[in-house]
Every structure is written in structure tokens, then in C-alpha cells.
């Protein structure tokens, strides 16, 4: 019979991974929300050159940029799930750096 400590050790990593995964999703959602709220100024504020290009491509509207950003986040979260089940060491490295990048994005939104 497994002890409580063994069960805790088994699931604490899965819970931590899930929390980081959710953080990435919520940080991205907040970034998209702020982008839509400030869309009239976004072209001048956006630091991502691809984002600026997408806004210009859509005649100053942010819809195309937000759609592609949402699709990219969804794809990244899906890849992180796949990595967790198939290449766990890569999964931890990847989720750590994606979370760090999202933390930077949130910090940058506050500036």
C-alpha cells in the first residue's frame, strides 16, 4: 500500500504542471483582453513585429492578430500536454520558459 507521501509526491508534480499550464492560458487571455481594450493604440504599443504586421494587414483592426494569437496559444497549450505525456523532461523545460515569457508579458502590460 502506498503511503500518503508517495501519493503526494506522485501528484504534486502533475498539479504544479497543471497550475503552470492554466497560468499560461489565463495570462494569454488577459493579454488578449488588454489588446482589445486598447486596440485604438495597439499599433503604436505592440512590440511584436509580427503583431504589428498583422494589424496593418487587417487595416488597423486587431481581429486577425487576436485570432492568430488565440490559435497560437491553443496550439502551444496542446503541445505542452502532448510533451507532458511523451517527453516529460522536455515538457518541464518548455512549460517553465513559456510561463516565464507569459510572466514577462504580464509585467510588460503593467508598464
Amino acid at each position: 500500500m502506498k503511503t500518503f507521501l508517495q501519493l503526494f509526491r506522485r501528484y504534486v508534480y502533475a498539479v504544479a504542471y497543471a497550475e503552470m499550464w492554466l497560468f499560461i492560458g489565463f495570462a494569454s487571455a488577459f493579454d488578449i483582453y488588454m489588446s482589445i481594450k486598447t486596440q485604438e493604440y495597439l499599433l503604436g504599443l505592440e512590440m511584436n513585429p509580427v503583431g504589428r504586421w498583422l494589424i496593418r494587414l487587417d487595416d488597423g483592426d486587431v481581429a486577425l492578430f487576436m485570432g492568430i494569437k488565440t490559435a497560437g496559444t491553443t496550439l502551444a497549450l496542446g503541445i505542452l500536454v502532448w510533451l507532458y505525456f511523451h517527453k516529460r523532461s522536455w515538457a518541464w523545460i518548455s512549460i517553465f520558459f513559456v510561463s516565464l515569457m507569459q510572466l514577462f508579458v504580464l509585467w510588460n502590460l503593467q508598464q
Side-chain angles (χ1 to χ4, degrees), residues 50-100:
V50 175
R52 287 193 308 263
W53 176 73
L54 289 169
I55 293 169
R56 283 190 196 104
L57 190 65
D58 205 13
D59 296 322
D61 194 20
V62 298
L64 177 64
F65 181 33
M66 295 304 106
I68 290 175
K69 187 182 262 194
T70 302
T73 300
T74 303
L75 178 64
L77 290 172
I79 289 170
L80 287 169
V81 169
W82 183 87
L83 282 172
Y84 186 79
F85 288 106
H86 297 286
K87 299 280 186 182
R88 197 152 297 176
S89 62
W90 292 9
W92 280 104
I93 292 167
S94 300
I95 203 163
F96 174 78
F97 283 108
V98 173
S99 294
L100 195 61

